Amino acid sequence: MLKIAFVCLGNICRSPMAEAVFKHLLDERGLSDRVIVDSFGVSDEEEGNGIYPLALKTLENHGITAKHTAKKITATDMAEFDYVMVMELRHRGTILCMTRGEYADRVKPLCKDRDIVDPWYTRDFEKSYADIKACCMSLLDELITQGKI
Ligand code: 4NP
């Protein structure tokens, strides 16, 4: 079973949105039983909190329901997941510091050419959602083409 983790800073906005969008795309294609999807933060500041209300509302505006409790990624998680998709390149740096460089090949930016902007500061949750959706669709297509799913 392929295991994919999405990672942002607090695990209350972008990464739980990516988790929910990717699960929704898998569901639409009848592939939900082939992949385990979860999300994490690189910080523990929001640990225990639910999805930020505006992030949840944005998902719901697009017909996606979600439930998640924020948690910080650990070295144990890093050993478990095949793909760790980060919203910003600096999150990759934080994770590689934590694992002392181990599993570096698993940690990739969700968006290849730029960071997924943080709606916590822009307040533009629709823009982040659109970026996340486009990148999740590309990721899913790539994994299917490569025969990983
Ligand atoms: P996220 O957004 O990393 O997409 O979950 C943020 C959530 C909380 C904070 C920053 C970004 N914060 O500074 O509390």
mmCIF file of all heavy atoms in Angstrom, residues 122-140:
data_model
loop_
_atom_site.group_PDB
_atom_site.id
_atom_site.type_symbol
_atom_site.label_atom_id
_atom_site.label_comp_id
_atom_site.label_asym_id
_atom_site.label_seq_id
_atom_site.Cartn_x
_atom_site.Cartn_y
_atom_site.Cartn_z
ATOM 1 N N THR A 122 -2.185 35.318 3.666
ATOM 2 C CA THR A 122 -2.831 35.981 2.514
ATOM 3 C C THR A 122 -4.337 36.089 2.712
ATOM 4 O O THR A 122 -4.970 36.951 2.104
ATOM 5 C CB THR A 122 -2.595 35.180 1.215
ATOM 6 O OG1 THR A 122 -3.241 33.897 1.344
ATOM 7 C CG2 THR A 122 -1.120 34.972 0.928
ATOM 8 N N ARG A 123 -4.897 35.197 3.517
ATOM 9 C CA ARG A 123 -6.358 35.047 3.739
ATOM 10 C C ARG A 123 -7.075 34.598 2.458
ATOM 11 O O ARG A 123 -8.298 34.558 2.425
ATOM 12 C CB ARG A 123 -7.034 36.338 4.277
ATOM 13 C CG ARG A 123 -6.378 36.986 5.451
ATOM 14 C CD ARG A 123 -6.022 36.031 6.552
ATOM 15 N NE ARG A 123 -7.154 35.477 7.286
ATOM 16 C CZ ARG A 123 -7.040 34.446 8.143
ATOM 17 N NH1 ARG A 123 -5.875 33.863 8.331
ATOM 18 N NH2 ARG A 123 -8.093 34.009 8.781
ATOM 19 N N ASP A 124 -6.306 34.282 1.402
ATOM 20 C CA ASP A 124 -6.912 33.849 0.144
ATOM 21 C C ASP A 124 -6.926 32.319 0.107
ATOM 22 O O ASP A 124 -6.067 31.678 -0.521
ATOM 23 C CB ASP A 124 -6.140 34.446 -1.038
ATOM 24 C CG ASP A 124 -6.892 34.268 -2.349
ATOM 25 O OD1 ASP A 124 -7.851 33.444 -2.383
ATOM 26 O OD2 ASP A 124 -6.537 34.923 -3.334
ATOM 27 N N PHE A 125 -7.915 31.748 0.790
ATOM 28 C CA PHE A 125 -7.988 30.291 0.887
ATOM 29 C C PHE A 125 -8.348 29.662 -0.455
ATOM 30 O O PHE A 125 -7.918 28.546 -0.758
ATOM 31 C CB PHE A 125 -8.987 29.880 1.985
ATOM 32 C CG PHE A 125 -8.409 30.062 3.368
ATOM 33 C CD1 PHE A 125 -8.325 31.319 3.957
ATOM 34 C CD2 PHE A 125 -7.906 28.983 4.055
ATOM 35 C CE1 PHE A 125 -7.761 31.497 5.212
ATOM 36 C CE2 PHE A 125 -7.340 29.139 5.321
ATOM 37 C CZ PHE A 125 -7.272 30.408 5.892
ATOM 38 N N GLU A 126 -9.113 30.369 -1.277
ATOM 39 C CA GLU A 126 -9.477 29.842 -2.598
ATOM 40 C C GLU A 126 -8.242 29.691 -3.490
ATOM 41 O O GLU A 126 -8.126 28.731 -4.234
ATOM 42 C CB GLU A 126 -10.504 30.751 -3.283
ATOM 43 C CG GLU A 126 -11.907 30.610 -2.737
ATOM 44 C CD GLU A 126 -12.559 29.235 -3.018
ATOM 45 O OE1 GLU A 126 -12.124 28.523 -3.944
ATOM 46 O OE2 GLU A 126 -13.494 28.885 -2.291
ATOM 47 N N LYS A 127 -7.331 30.660 -3.410
ATOM 48 C CA LYS A 127 -6.108 30.599 -4.233
ATOM 49 C C LYS A 127 -5.254 29.397 -3.804
ATOM 50 O O LYS A 127 -4.769 28.633 -4.644
ATOM 51 C CB LYS A 127 -5.325 31.920 -4.076
ATOM 52 C CG LYS A 127 -3.904 31.915 -4.616
ATOM 53 C CD LYS A 127 -3.902 32.217 -6.111
ATOM 54 C CE LYS A 127 -2.511 32.380 -6.684
ATOM 55 N NZ LYS A 127 -1.745 31.165 -6.819
ATOM 56 N N SER A 128 -5.095 29.218 -2.498
ATOM 57 C CA SER A 128 -4.314 28.074 -2.010
ATOM 58 C C SER A 128 -5.003 26.777 -2.398
ATOM 59 O O SER A 128 -4.339 25.814 -2.820
ATOM 60 C CB SER A 128 -4.124 28.148 -0.488
ATOM 61 O OG SER A 128 -3.359 29.280 -0.161
ATOM 62 N N TYR A 129 -6.336 26.739 -2.274
ATOM 63 C CA TYR A 129 -7.085 25.540 -2.657
ATOM 64 C C TYR A 129 -6.848 25.213 -4.142
ATOM 65 O O TYR A 129 -6.599 24.054 -4.496
ATOM 66 C CB TYR A 129 -8.594 25.727 -2.405
ATOM 67 C CG TYR A 129 -9.412 24.603 -2.993
ATOM 68 C CD1 TYR A 129 -9.612 23.429 -2.275
ATOM 69 C CD2 TYR A 129 -9.926 24.694 -4.288
ATOM 70 C CE1 TYR A 129 -10.325 22.368 -2.837
ATOM 71 C CE2 TYR A 129 -10.632 23.638 -4.850
ATOM 72 C CZ TYR A 129 -10.830 22.491 -4.121
ATOM 73 O OH TYR A 129 -11.518 21.447 -4.683
ATOM 74 N N ALA A 130 -6.926 26.239 -4.992
ATOM 75 C CA ALA A 130 -6.762 26.016 -6.441
ATOM 76 C C ALA A 130 -5.364 25.467 -6.747
ATOM 77 O O ALA A 130 -5.217 24.535 -7.555
ATOM 78 C CB ALA A 130 -7.009 27.318 -7.202
ATOM 79 N N ASP A 131 -4.347 26.027 -6.097
ATOM 80 C CA ASP A 131 -2.967 25.539 -6.293
ATOM 81 C C ASP A 131 -2.858 24.089 -5.829
ATOM 82 O O ASP A 131 -2.267 23.247 -6.504
ATOM 83 C CB ASP A 131 -1.982 26.387 -5.472
ATOM 84 C CG ASP A 131 -1.650 27.700 -6.160
ATOM 85 O OD1 ASP A 131 -2.082 27.900 -7.305
ATOM 86 O OD2 ASP A 131 -0.963 28.529 -5.532
ATOM 87 N N ILE A 132 -3.403 23.841 -4.637
ATOM 88 C CA ILE A 132 -3.324 22.491 -4.058
ATOM 89 C C ILE A 132 -4.031 21.489 -4.968
ATOM 90 O O ILE A 132 -3.509 20.414 -5.261
ATOM 91 C CB ILE A 132 -3.930 22.486 -2.627
ATOM 92 C CG1 ILE A 132 -2.972 23.186 -1.663
ATOM 93 C CG2 ILE A 132 -4.254 21.075 -2.155
ATOM 94 C CD1 ILE A 132 -3.579 23.531 -0.303
ATOM 95 N N LYS A 133 -5.216 21.856 -5.452
ATOM 96 C CA LYS A 133 -5.978 20.926 -6.301
ATOM 97 C C LYS A 133 -5.214 20.613 -7.585
ATOM 98 O O LYS A 133 -5.082 19.458 -7.971
ATOM 99 C CB LYS A 133 -7.354 21.523 -6.637
ATOM 100 C CG LYS A 133 -8.090 20.700 -7.676
ATOM 101 C CD LYS A 133 -9.523 20.467 -7.351
ATOM 102 C CE LYS A 133 -10.114 19.397 -8.274
ATOM 103 N NZ LYS A 133 -11.344 19.817 -8.892
ATOM 104 N N ALA A 134 -4.686 21.664 -8.247
ATOM 105 C CA ALA A 134 -3.958 21.453 -9.505
ATOM 106 C C ALA A 134 -2.746 20.546 -9.276
ATOM 107 O O ALA A 134 -2.477 19.627 -10.065
ATOM 108 C CB ALA A 134 -3.521 22.801 -10.080
ATOM 109 N N CYS A 135 -2.031 20.787 -8.172
ATOM 110 C CA CYS A 135 -0.816 20.001 -7.902
ATOM 111 C C CYS A 135 -1.156 18.575 -7.477
ATOM 112 O O CYS A 135 -0.433 17.641 -7.815
ATOM 113 C CB CYS A 135 0.038 20.692 -6.850
ATOM 114 S SG CYS A 135 0.678 22.268 -7.424
ATOM 115 N N CYS A 136 -2.251 18.403 -6.748
ATOM 116 C CA CYS A 136 -2.671 17.050 -6.357
ATOM 117 C C CYS A 136 -3.094 16.246 -7.595
ATOM 118 O O CYS A 136 -2.814 15.055 -7.693
ATOM 119 C CB CYS A 136 -3.822 17.103 -5.354
ATOM 120 S SG CYS A 136 -3.283 17.441 -3.671
ATOM 121 N N MET A 137 -3.749 16.915 -8.542
ATOM 122 C CA MET A 137 -4.150 16.221 -9.776
ATOM 123 C C MET A 137 -2.905 15.785 -10.551
ATOM 124 O O MET A 137 -2.841 14.655 -11.046
ATOM 125 C CB MET A 137 -5.040 17.130 -10.634
ATOM 126 C CG MET A 137 -6.424 17.290 -10.035
ATOM 127 S SD MET A 137 -7.446 18.490 -10.904
ATOM 128 C CE MET A 137 -7.964 17.515 -12.291
ATOM 129 N N SER A 138 -1.901 16.664 -10.641
ATOM 130 C CA SER A 138 -0.658 16.311 -11.340
ATOM 131 C C SER A 138 0.046 15.155 -10.639
ATOM 132 O O SER A 138 0.543 14.233 -11.287
ATOM 133 C CB SER A 138 0.320 17.491 -11.379
ATOM 134 O OG SER A 138 -0.267 18.560 -12.038
ATOM 135 N N LEU A 139 0.086 15.223 -9.302
ATOM 136 C CA LEU A 139 0.753 14.158 -8.537
ATOM 137 C C LEU A 139 0.060 12.821 -8.776
ATOM 138 O O LEU A 139 0.731 11.805 -9.038
ATOM 139 C CB LEU A 139 0.743 14.516 -7.041
ATOM 140 C CG LEU A 139 1.279 13.438 -6.095
ATOM 141 C CD1 LEU A 139 2.748 13.138 -6.368
ATOM 142 C CD2 LEU A 139 1.083 13.859 -4.626
ATOM 143 N N LEU A 140 -1.256 12.827 -8.712
ATOM 144 C CA LEU A 140 -1.991 11.567 -8.898
ATOM 145 C C LEU A 140 -1.750 11.015 -10.303
ATOM 146 O O LEU A 140 -1.467 9.823 -10.466
ATOM 147 C CB LEU A 140 -3.491 11.793 -8.638
ATOM 148 C CG LEU A 140 -4.382 10.563 -8.781
ATOM 149 C CD1 LEU A 140 -3.905 9.397 -7.918
ATOM 150 C CD2 LEU A 140 -5.829 10.896 -8.444
#
